[in-house]
Each structure stands twice: as structure tokens, then as C-alpha cells.
Amino acid sequence: MPLVRIDVLSEPNAGRLPAIGEAVHQAMTETIDVPADDRFQILNSHTADRLRYDPDYFGVHRDDDIVYIAITMRAGRTNDQKTALYRRATELIAESTGIEPRNVFFSLTENHEVDWSFGEGVAQMLPSTP
């Protein structure tokens, strides 16, 4: 049940958004045990005045090919699983879109079962009570 938000600049990445989404989903199924049918993504492209970045933060040189990937998911994955996710998604994005790994930025937020409702105003992941 991860919720994935992917943000890119309108040019040059906007046309590659579906491929980026596919790559992230495949990486999640391979590395953090997300079921194949558990796909919830928000794909956005922005003009340069609406998406900003530091071109050299942490010594990583970025350019207008930057891709922001924000994942919200239930707590419980290990550090190794999370870093494997970043690595694998970055590989798949580079293979399918040509976006260089230096331009792939991740933010991961964890929460709990009560923090999700998939509709009907119900917290479906909570154990039902008799």
C-alpha cells in the first residue's frame, strides 16, 4: 500500500513519467515485498519555477532531469530493504528513460495501519473488531 508521488520538470522528463512510475513499482515489488496489484501513484510535471533543487547538495551534481520520488508506506522495512529499493529503482529508471542516477531523489515516509483509508471512510488495514 505504498503511495508514490513522482515529480519532474515539464521538460525534459514529463513524457517519461509513466516509465518512471513503472520502474518504481517494479523495484518495490522486487525489494520491499509490495504486491503487483498494489499500485497507487501520483505523477506530476512542473514548470521550472514550481520545482526547485540545489544542483550540488551532498556533492551530487543534479540538473533539469531531476526526479523527485516520495513514497509513503507502512513502517517495518529494514534499512537494507530501503537502500535496495533506492538502488533498484534508480537502475530501472536509468535503463528505461536514460535519466542519470545522480538525478533521482528519494524521500521515504513510514506510518502505521491506522494512517490509511482506501475508501468508504474505513481504516481497512486495522483488525476488525467483533
Side-chain angles (χ1 to χ4, degrees):
M1 70 276 349
L3 175 61
V4 177
R5 180 183 172 122
I6 300 170
D7 293 272
V8 300
L9 284 170
S10 296
E11 291 301 326
N13 287 334
R16 298 184 270 184
L17 268 168
I20 296 167
E22 288 298 321
V24 171
H25 187 71
Q26 180 180 336
M28 290 190 311
T29 63
E30 292 178 10
T31 61
I32 61 170
D33 300 320
V34 170
D37 64 345
D38 189 353
R39 182 186 313 251
F40 296 91
Q41 298 182 337
I42 304 163
L43 308 176
N44 292 298
S45 62
H46 307 275
T47 58
D49 63 325
R50 302 286 182 191
L51 191 142
R52 298 180 181 172
Y53 61 91
D54 185 290
D56 292 301
Y57 191 70
F58 267 108
V60 178
H61 179 69
R62 295 164 199 83
D63 58 35
D64 285 350
D65 253 359
I66 191 156
V67 176
Y68 286 115
I69 301 166
I71 301 173
T72 303
M73 65 183 191
R74 278 187 310 152
R77 273 58 173 223
T78 67
N79 289 346
D80 288 344
Q81 286 176 302
K82 293 173 193 176
T83 57
L85 168 61
Y86 307 149
R87 219 175 11 260
R88 183 63 177 142
T90 299
E91 290 170 0
L92 291 168
I93 290 167
E95 289 172 11
S96 64
T97 67
I99 294 171
E100 295 181 39
R102 63 188 172 85
N103 281 313
V104 181
F105 180 104
F106 279 91
S107 174
L108 195 143
T109 303
E110 294 182 310
N111 60 23
H112 302 282
E113 287 81 1
V114 70
D115 299 316
W116 296 90
S117 173
F118 294 90
E120 306 288 342
V122 176
Q124 287 89 350
M125 295 177 62
L126 288 179
S128 57
T129 55

